[in-house]
Amino acid sequence: MLCYHLAQGKHVSLGEPHTKTVYRFGPFQLDPGRATLSRNETQLKLQDLPYRLLAILVEKPGEIVSREEVRQRLWPQNTFVEFDNSLGVAIRKIRDVLGDNADAPCYVETVPRRGYRFLAPVTVITEAPEPVLPIPPEPARTPIALPSAEKPSATSGRTLTYLAIAAFVLLAIAGAVYRLRLPRTTTENQTTPETNLPPVHVRRSVAVMGFRNLPGRPEDNWLSPAFAEMLSTELAADSALRLVSGEDVARAKRELPLTDEDSLAKETLTRLHTNPGADVVVLGSFTPLPGKEERRIRLDVRLQETEHGETIAERAFVGNEDNLFEIVTQAGASLRDSLGSTSISAEASAQTRAALPTKPLAVKLYTEGQARLWAFDFVGAKDLLVQAIAVEPDFPLAHSALSDAWHHLGYDLKARDEAEHARALSEHLSPEERLQIEGQYYSSLPDTSKAIEVYGKLFAQFPDNLNYGLRLGDQQRRVNSEDALKTVAALRRLPAVLANDPRIDMIESRAWINHDYAKAQAAGRRAVEKGTAEGAHLLVARAYGILCSTLGNGVSTQQAVQDCENARQSYAAAGDLNNEARTLSDFAGLYYQLGQIDRAESMYRDALKIFRKIGAIDGITTVAGNLGEVFLARGDLGSAEHALSEALPGNREMGDKDGIALTLNDLGEVARRRGELEKALTTFEQAKAVAQEADDKSALAYILSGIGDVLADRGDLIAARKSHEEALAVRKQTGEKQTAAETETALARLAIDEGHAADAETVIRKCKEQFHQDQQADDELAASIVLIDALIAESKLPEAESEAERTKPLADKSGNALFRWQYELMSARAQGLTGHFAAANAQLEKVLRSAHDHQFVGLECETRLAMAELKNKAGQPVAARAEWLSLENAARKNGFGLIASQARSHRDARE
């Protein structure tokens, strides 16, 4: 927040009666003669008592104005008021209109036990009085005509103001980001053009915690979430207060842990001030009252301030169960008054009614569905919300909540449909709620640019709403990480209780993750530290989940394993089965990368059980695809194709283009290993089109590598190199260190086929060392296989044989069948070329059987080429030439142009 230097000025009087005196401070101007307060020439609304108190403080900038002086000047003798409460309300209204913050004040400072002090410097402008003109006699009054039934548009005079405010706040955020980038200097506190930026106006935050069921009858439990939802909606009307979201309240209650209570201890209130960041909490109890006909309910409400633990107000309200809205309206009006907020307009009241169901059964089903949603019971939430919509089909927020439930269950197309229904029905909601629904709708399409535009509007209008800033940053990081980081910087301008929220660090970590893994790690670690300090277990789990995904990018395997396990345990402790299963799946992927295929499969199957239990189709589909990769690694092409083919319809049903692209990529690899090169290339090209449409660069790099492998098999080495180099460029762009080295390995293998074995050796040794340091066993094995091939091509046969011996332990431990067979092939070549013919031949025969039995046509051709080479070396040139000729014909028939040309070259060299 931008503040002004403490005024060291003289006593400033309110001016002589015969002069016009105006007081200016910051962008504000106070005119006692006209009793007005304005900001940048726009007049602000401030009630009489707070206005007079502000005038007293402005009169003495930098001086402490005692509470007793305020009492004497505002409440003459024999005036009886509740002084402390009235004074507190007046101070809060002054701070609200000035956009001030009690924790870090720029204007009004509370001096404990003494009074208040005005901090900003005040400029006094004294003007000559205007001439006093004689008052002419009042003319005779004419009858006043009745107003026309046709009224001017209520929005015609507000549109430009709204847009100007939105633009101004966006500029303020941009300016703040620019300022934060400047180095600290000794003149930092000097006034610069940036000091004209207004501080963010931080509204008072209110969390409705729920209400205790005093009689304890289970059938009445639904009234607690119902009253909480309805009262939150009522207090949020006209946006004067900042309501903590129901989801954040549910998370905080779960983490304390805290049940519905009618009063809270000071220690608990202090924790709620930090998590979920509430200035005030609303809680209490309800009691159904016996009656002959209508059942009546008594709602006892308590308003508690979190920083000091004081009770602000206690009220009781009674009404009919069939008209809960009436009870909530009374409670809301009373609480707003206690909080110093003005009563809401008729328009805002109508919008509040539109944000709640009209039928009690719909209220019950909707609020219970919301509670299940926040408790991660997405199937239960979906069922209740479907019922709520059946009772009241035109209630937009039920459709919005159902969209959220479908999204968590992985049914993105159904989520999109419900978001569209919510948007179509949102006409009568408040502008803020309409924008929220629009943001959800565009996110579900996904239309990221539109979603950014909507959340940008929300954050511009309500820059103190952390959730809007987080949603904006989350959308921005998908298309432009720099914009996301600017939003992160803007969020850090908020008061400390908001700016220190670990979710800001999580957005920063996600923004960096494809660009700078070190910075992504640092931000993720900060989120863990902050979340742990707050006791925010769910946020800690999410932060660990981000860290878990950075294996192979400069992060040690041990650290990544620990991060994944921490994420899994934290999600399990929070009761979030959905994300526990997702972390298990990520964990399985980690072990898959480490070459521990059996362990990966076991974890995938555990994750699959949880996904099936909670009905998460996206998890079921993703794990099915991952199991397909496990089968592929084992060399079981039939099971791999079956699992992948089962995953593909699920991906399409969900509209998951990333999943479709990766599954097609794996199916392309199955076809390639079977020797179906045309089918493989067609499948890879389909995958490429989907990945490009989804703008999934990671998937695109895998697909480009696959295409490069097919082109190399066909003998088109120029096109193969181009495809692999494109994959490498994408991986370098996204900062994927491990997969970039995998592509370097593929290019080294290609260089050997091009006749540049020495260059390949240099590159592959660096890759092998990187894989070794990162403990990527299978990648290290793959690099060693290429290195043996390069050494053989360079006629460095003793070195090739030594490398094969060193690599054997890696091959023996690997669960990747293709890598084991390729190693055995290269090891046999090294043995045969150094004179160990019998052992080499036996090993090659074994590889040939494995390749044939598992339908690895390309590997079968490579093995036959090596066997012909061995026969020639063993002094059987006729047999060798016959094998080369047979292989050339078979390879050419199946489209393996590279093997065919290599067989032809060997044959020609011996003729």
Side-chain angles (χ1 to χ4, degrees):
M1 180 178 290
L2 300 176
C3 291
Y4 301 87
H5 299 299
L6 178 65
Q8 301 292 335
K10 59 182 181 179
H11 173 92
V12 182
S13 71
L14 283 177
E16 300 299 325
H18 299 296
T19 61
K20 179 182 178 181
T21 305
V22 175
Y23 303 90
R24 289 181 180 169
F25 48 95
F28 299 97
Q29 178 172 295
L30 185 142
D31 186 342
R34 297 180 178 176
T36 60
L37 175 67
S38 58
R39 175 177 179 165
N40 296 328
E41 300 183 357
T42 300
Q43 190 166 318
L44 304 175
K45 291 179 65 175
L46 187 62
Q47 295 173 339
D48 177 65
L49 185 64
Y51 179 87
R52 288 192 288 134
L53 175 56
L54 176 60
I56 292 170
L57 297 173
V58 168
E59 184 182 2
K60 300 180 178 181
E63 299 181 24
I64 296 175
V65 179
S66 70
R67 291 163 55 86
E68 184 58 32
E69 181 180 348
V70 171
R71 182 198 295 272
Q72 291 176 1
R73 294 186 62 175
L74 295 184
W75 289 282
Q77 291 183 347
N78 301 323
T79 301
F80 299 98
V81 297
E82 189 179 345
F83 175 70
D84 288 338
N85 183 61
S86 299
L87 181 58
V89 169
I91 287 291
R92 283 197 296 274
K93 288 187 175 182
I94 291 173
R95 284 176 173 151
D96 283 346
V97 78
L98 298 181
D100 207 7
N101 182 351
D103 294 330
C106 290
Y107 297 106
V108 179
E109 177 190 23
T110 300
V111 183
R113 297 192 179 91
R114 297 185 64 186
Y116 301 94
R117 173 164 47 202
F118 196 79
L119 298 177
V122 177
T123 301
V124 183
I125 301 172
T126 304
E127 301 175 358
E130 295 179 0
V132 180
L133 300 176
I135 302 175
E138 186 175 9
R141 295 182 181 271
T142 57
I144 300 175
L146 291 174
S148 166
E150 182 179 344
K151 296 182 180 179
S153 168
T155 60
S156 60
R158 291 199 297 235
T159 305
L160 290 177
T161 303
Y162 165 84
L163 293 174
I165 291 172
F168 181 72
V169 175
L170 285 171
L171 286 171
I173 293 171
V177 174
Y178 177 76
R179 183 175 63 84
L180 289 170
R181 286 180 162 179
L182 294 177
R184 183 178 293 273
T185 66
T186 56
T187 61
E188 181 178 276
N189 290 327
Q190 292 180 1
T191 302
T192 68
E194 290 175 298
T195 58
N196 292 325
L197 292 174
V200 174
H201 169 48
V202 179
R203 297 165 293 168
R204 207 170 193 192
S205 60
V206 181
V208 182
M209 304 300 297
F211 299 88
R212 183 181 174 191
N213 180 357
L214 277 184
R217 291 194 296 269
E219 62 268 25
D220 293 328
N221 285 342
W222 68 274
L223 287 167
S224 176
F227 277 129
E229 176 70 18
M230 297 173 77
L231 195 51
S232 293
T233 303
E234 172 71 23
L235 293 174
D238 80 4
S239 303
L241 300 169
R242 177 166 52 89
L243 270 292
V244 177
S245 72
E247 183 177 7
D248 286 345
V249 169
R251 174 173 56 81
K253 290 175 69 174
R254 189 167 51 248
E255 290 167 348
L256 280 172
L258 183 67
T259 57
D260 289 335
E261 301 289 346
D262 50 14
S263 181
L264 296 176
K266 183 176 180 180
E267 180 183 356
T268 303
L269 290 166
T270 301
R271 292 185 65 183
L272 290 171
H273 185 67
T274 303
N275 177 21
D279 298 323
V280 176
V281 296
V282 179
L283 64 165
S285 62
F286 63 88
T287 308
L289 303 175
K292 293 182 179 179
E293 297 179 359
E294 298 176 335
R295 193 169 83 142
R296 295 174 66 75
I297 295 178
R298 173 189 169 109
L299 179 66
D300 290 273
V301 180
R302 176 172 299 192
L303 199 60
Q304 289 187 280
E305 186 263 346
T306 58
E307 188 173 9
H308 303 293
E310 298 176 357
T311 297
I312 299 173
E314 294 179 86
R315 302 283 189 276
F317 309 92
V318 178
N320 295 332
E321 183 179 339
D322 289 340
N323 194 358
L324 298 178
F325 190 83
E326 180 184 351
I327 304 174
V328 170
T329 300
Q330 295 175 28
S334 177
L335 293 176
R336 291 168 71 84
D337 184 62
S338 298
L339 291 168
S341 184
T342 58
S343 59
I344 62 175
S345 65
E347 180 184 12
S349 179
Q351 291 168 346
T352 300
R353 290 299 296 262
L356 292 168
T358 58
K359 298 177 182 178
L361 179 57
V363 173
K364 178 179 184 296
L365 293 167
Y366 168 65
T367 54
E368 286 183 333
Q370 286 273 59
R372 293 283 187 93
L373 195 60
W374 298 330
F376 316 115
D377 180 5
F378 304 120
V379 173
K382 179 259 298 180
D383 293 342
L384 287 164
L385 292 166
V386 166
Q387 294 177 56
I389 290 170
V391 173
E392 196 162 328
D394 294 337
F395 177 50
L397 297 186
H399 289 281
S400 176
L402 181 56
S403 173
D404 200 12
W406 281 127
H407 170 71
H408 281 96
L409 290 170
Y411 290 87
D412 287 346
L413 293 178
K414 292 184 178 181
R416 185 184 309 168
D417 288 343
E418 290 302 326
E420 190 171 7
H421 282 309
R423 182 170 178 249
L425 295 168
S426 65
E427 177 185 359
H428 300 295
L429 297 177
S430 69
E432 182 178 0
E433 284 170 319
R434 288 201 301 272
L435 283 173
Q436 288 184 56
I437 287 176
E438 287 226 342
Q440 180 189 36
Y441 169 69
Y442 287 123
S443 298
S444 71
L445 289 178
D447 186 337
T448 308
S449 61
K450 283 284 189 182
I452 289 171
E453 180 182 337
V454 170
Y455 288 127
K457 287 180 181 178
L458 278 168
F459 191 43
Q461 293 176 55
F462 306 102
D464 63 335
N465 190 309
L466 182 63
N467 283 331
Y468 295 156
L470 293 172
R471 290 176 193 173
L472 174 61
D474 189 50
Q475 292 293 326
Q476 289 171 324
R477 57 112 182 160
R478 300 167 195 268
V479 294
N480 189 325
S481 60
E482 290 186 7
D483 288 344
L485 292 171
K486 289 176 182 178
T487 298
V488 165
L491 289 170
R492 289 191 170 133
R493 286 186 63 232
L494 294 171
V497 71
L498 297 174
N500 289 328
D501 193 293
R503 289 174 293 178
I504 300 174
D505 298 284
M506 289 161 64
I507 291 293
E508 181 182 355
S509 182
R510 289 191 177 106
W512 283 120
I513 206 160
N514 288 328
H515 304 279
D516 190 321
Y517 274 96
K519 290 180 179 178
Q521 276 275 320
R525 300 272 170 224
R526 286 197 303 273
V528 168
E529 291 171 6
K530 292 177 183 178
T532 302
E534 290 182 9
H537 308 304
L538 185 57
L539 299 187
V540 170
R542 290 173 181 169
Y544 273 127
I546 296 171
L547 294 171
C548 175
S549 66
T550 58
L551 176 70
N553 293 281
V555 181
S556 72
T557 300
Q558 182 180 2
Q559 182 64 65
V561 168
Q562 188 60 56
D563 288 336
C564 290
E565 180 59 23
N566 287 340
R568 188 194 66 77
Q569 291 181 4
S570 299
Y571 279 127
D576 188 347
L577 293 177
N578 188 35
N579 277 312
E580 181 188 358
R582 291 176 192 280
T583 305
L584 265 174
S585 181
D586 288 344
F587 216 163
L590 187 154
Y591 281 113
Y592 179 85
Q593 291 181 50
L594 294 174
Q596 299 182 36
I597 306 297
D598 291 341
R599 193 164 188 178
E601 181 184 358
S602 175
M603 285 187 157
Y604 278 134
R605 293 193 182 280
D606 288 343
L608 190 59
K609 289 177 185 176
I610 299 175
F611 282 133
R612 283 178 173 156
K613 177 181 177 181
I614 63 177
I617 188 175
D618 62 336
I620 294 169
T621 300
T622 300
V623 171
N626 290 339
L627 283 170
E629 290 194 13
V630 168
F631 295 134
L632 189 60
R634 286 208 174 115
D636 186 350
L637 298 182
S639 295
E641 184 177 35
H642 178 74
L644 293 165
S645 297
E646 282 195 335
L648 198 56
N651 285 319
R652 286 176 172 147
E653 181 181 355
M654 293 184 298
D656 179 8
K657 293 181 180 178
D658 297 343
I660 294 170
L662 289 170
T663 304
L664 285 171
N665 176 74
D666 289 340
L667 285 168
E669 184 61 24
V670 169
R672 174 179 170 260
R673 293 185 186 185
R674 277 184 173 155
E676 300 168 343
L677 298 186
E678 283 298 327
K679 180 180 178 180
L681 190 57
T682 300
T683 307
F684 279 131
E685 289 293 348
Q686 290 173 351
K688 180 181 176 182
V690 177
Q692 288 175 329
E693 184 180 355
D695 195 27
D696 185 340
K697 291 182 171 56
S698 179
L700 181 62
Y702 278 112
I703 295 160
L704 288 169
S705 292
I707 291 172
D709 288 339
V710 173
L711 292 171
D713 290 339
R714 292 171 63 172
D716 190 348
L717 301 185
I718 295 175
R721 172 167 289 280
K722 180 181 178 183
S723 191
H724 279 301
E725 287 177 345
E726 285 181 25
L728 182 61
V730 171
R731 283 170 166 167
K732 286 184 175 180
Q733 178 187 353
T734 57
E736 297 178 15
K737 180 182 175 184
Q738 178 191 333
T739 55
E742 290 173 1
T743 307
E744 294 273 18
T745 301
L747 284 165
R749 186 171 60 244
L750 197 60
I752 297 170
D753 294 330
E754 294 169 329
H756 306 297
D759 294 338
E761 180 189 352
T762 302
V763 171
I764 205 65
R765 287 190 184 279
K766 291 180 181 178
C767 293
K768 182 175 180 289
E769 178 60 26
Q770 178 184 319
F771 294 139
H772 180 74
Q773 292 295 329
D774 291 342
Q775 300 178 48
Q776 298 296 303
D778 271 357
D779 280 335
E780 184 180 355
L781 173 58
S784 293
I785 292 166
V786 177
L787 179 57
I788 296 168
D789 194 12
L791 293 170
I792 290 173
E794 293 178 88
S795 299
K796 297 179 179 179
L797 301 181
E799 289 184 48
E801 193 170 22
S802 297
E803 180 64 28
E805 290 174 3
R806 284 193 297 269
T807 305
K808 189 175 185 303
L810 275 178
D812 290 343
K813 292 179 182 178
S814 176
N816 191 306
L818 178 60
F819 287 174
R820 288 200 312 272
W821 297 333
Q822 287 177 331
Y823 163 76
E824 289 168 2
L825 169 60
M826 286 300 166
S827 173
R829 286 187 67 201
Q831 289 182 69
L833 292 173
T834 52
H836 307 289
F837 302 127
N841 189 67
Q843 191 160 310
L844 288 172
E845 289 282 1
K846 179 184 174 184
V847 175
L848 187 64
R849 284 194 301 272
S850 295
H852 180 77
D853 291 345
H854 289 84
Q855 299 179 303
F856 276 60
V857 175
L859 179 63
E860 189 175 351
C861 290
E862 289 178 37
T863 308
R864 287 180 62 187
L865 185 67
M867 293 178 77
E869 179 185 49
L870 182 62
K871 288 177 181 178
N872 186 69
K873 184 72 175 178
Q876 304 174 39
V878 175
R881 282 196 296 272
E883 179 62 26
W884 280 323
L885 179 59
S886 173
L887 175 59
E888 180 187 352
N889 293 332
R892 204 171 298 283
K893 179 180 177 181
N894 288 290
F896 283 88
L898 179 61
I899 291 288
S901 64
Q902 289 173 338
R904 176 64 180 269
S905 296
H906 283 298
R907 188 164 59 86
D908 289 346
R910 272 72 181 176
E911 290 182 354

